[in-house]
Amino acid sequence: MSKRPTVGRWAPSPTGDLHLGNLRTALLAWLFARSDGGRLLWRFEDLDGAVRPQFYDSQLRDVAAIGLDWDGAPVRQSDRLDLYRDAIADLRRREFTYECFCTRREIAEAVAAPHGSSLEGAYPGTCLGLTRAERDQRRGDGRSPALRLRADLHGTGPIELTVVDRQLGNYTGTVDDFVIQRGDGTPAYNLAVVVDDAAQGITEVVRGDDLLPSTPRQVHLAGLLGLEPPSHAHVPLVLGPQGHRLAKRDGAVTLADRLALSETPLDVVNLLLASLRIEAVSSAADLPAVAEAFDPVALPREPWICTPPARPNLSGTAD
Ligand code: GLU
């Protein structure tokens, strides 16, 4: 069978300024796609309540400023709700869903209970057996249900699935009854990402390895929807000096912060390249040659610990 032409994607949430960790993942998604002569699509994952409109443009600007490009117009998940609703309706019709009235706290308590699920983080199936009367009662109490996937319609509980990651090899994870539609009616991330990757013809997902545990769920859901899942390459996150995920409080981590310290966008891209053990470029015009020589096997396997200089106090007020 001939290989599908590579189509990658970069899928940030417009909830804040991109930091060096985000920019580094964008660079990696770009390198993977372009090294293969492939396309790279931009998708805003904006179904989250924390979205702030100014960050659509600022994220596009920052990624372009460090010399990366993408194909076609960026899409927004908020414009694609019908696609997700169709997939949810399909799963509902086939009885692959059930309503869940649990609060986060109830789930945490059920999982911690001695007879709760032994699978870490897996939904213990509390609402699976609710009768219609019990559901009506909860609705009457003012609770609006989320919709969960009945992952193992014909079986007895959570299932295990092994996925092959290009960088990390085999990864086995649990597919539990995860949420596909939130209580407020918004399609959940795991549903939207599967529908979008298929609808956009994505063949290759490159993203931070914090999403590795979600991958078996996404591959399983793609199968239920009759969609071909993409390949996956999970890349290590960027960590701050204390070993936690890099954050704004760690110092000058956004492009604007670095420019305010008199660095140039080229300095920033060279910092990111150095973190990937790739030689510096003398201008962004050299990046296609970097993509041509790019070898994913040579990438560092460990997280990059970034120790940024202090953040310039641009507004003159403490933050
Ligand atoms: N929107 C997610 C993020 O900003 C990425 C999800 C994905 O790549 O599947 O981290």
Side-chain angles (χ1 to χ4, degrees):
M1 206 169 82
S2 66
K3 183 176 171 285
R4 293 192 283 169
T6 298
V7 185
R9 48 58 155 197
W10 153 243
S13 302
T15 53
D17 276 321
L18 298 172
H19 61 49
L20 293 171
N22 308 127
L23 291 170
R24 186 177 187 256
T25 307
L27 172 60
L28 281 164
W30 186 89
L31 286 169
F32 270 86
R34 298 301 193 218
S35 66
D36 225 7
R39 305 174 70 224
L40 183 72
L41 308 185
W42 186 306
R43 177 170 81 231
F44 279 116
E45 299 206 328
D46 61 348
L47 298 182
D48 188 315
V51 165
R52 285 190 284 155
Q54 68 269 35
F55 295 117
Y56 290 104
D57 280 347
S58 73
Q59 293 191 347
L60 291 164
R61 257 197 323 270
D62 285 0
V63 170
I66 62 164
L68 307 183
D69 60 355
W70 54 90
D71 297 288
V75 301
R76 297 182 181 193
Q77 287 188 325
S78 56
D79 290 333
R80 300 160 68 81
L81 291 171
D82 286 348
L83 279 179
Y84 317 131
R85 302 240 186 272
D86 286 350
I88 293 167
D90 175 35
L91 293 167
R92 271 193 121 133
R93 206 166 34 243
R94 292 159 60 207
E95 298 184 354
F96 267 107
T97 64
Y98 64 92
E99 292 179 329
C100 172
F101 295 85
C102 294
T103 60
R104 274 175 208 274
R105 188 163 158 198
E106 284 165 349
I107 295 171
E109 282 167 4
V111 171
H115 300 296
S117 166
S118 58
L119 290 152
E120 209 181 321
Y123 178 66
T126 318
C127 287
L128 180 58
L130 290 183
T131 62
R132 175 181 289 252
E134 286 167 331
R135 292 199 303 270
D136 287 346
Q137 189 199 345
R138 281 164 179 72
R139 224 182 253 103
D141 291 344
R143 295 201 190 190
S144 38
L147 214 54
R148 288 187 180 272
L149 184 76
R150 193 186 290 245
D152 189 14
L153 184 58
H154 305 294
T156 51
I159 51 181
E160 299 275 297
L161 189 77
T162 300
V163 294
V164 185
D165 185 274
R166 260 181 89 170
Q167 292 304 100
L168 303 171
N170 284 356
Y171 172 80
T172 302
T174 304
V175 182
D176 65 343
D177 289 352
F178 60 90
V179 171
I180 59 166
Q181 178 176 284
R182 302 202 307 244
D184 65 2
T186 310
Y189 159 71
N190 278 315
L191 182 284
V193 79
V194 168
V195 170
D196 277 332
D197 284 341
Q200 294 187 282
I202 303 300
T203 65
E204 169 187 274
V205 167
V206 177
R207 61 186 178 191
D209 61 11
D210 55 326
L211 289 166
L212 184 62
S214 298
T215 308
R217 292 175 171 142
Q218 295 170 9
V219 170
H220 180 72
L221 181 56
L224 292 182
L225 292 170
L227 306 172
E228 188 168 355
S231 71
H232 292 89
H234 286 90
V235 294
L237 288 181
V238 177
L239 305 182
Q242 268 85 46
H244 52 255
R245 192 196 278 230
L246 189 69
K248 299 260 170 63
R249 66 176 177 280
D250 289 321
V253 293
T254 67
L255 183 62
D257 292 342
R258 306 303 283 218
L259 300 184
L261 291 171
S262 303
E263 290 185 13
T264 65
L266 185 64
D267 294 330
V268 172
V269 87
N270 279 330
L271 175 69
L272 300 177
L273 288 172
S275 80
L276 299 171
R277 302 201 194 109
I278 297 176
E279 268 179 48
V281 291
S282 46
S283 93
D286 295 337
L287 285 173
V290 173
E292 221 159 282
F294 176 66
D295 177 11
V297 176
L299 287 176
R301 300 291 155 134
E302 62 287 345
W304 174 39
I305 313 264
C306 177
T307 45
R311 208 169 162 207
N313 193 343
L314 299 172
S315 62
T317 53
D319 65 357

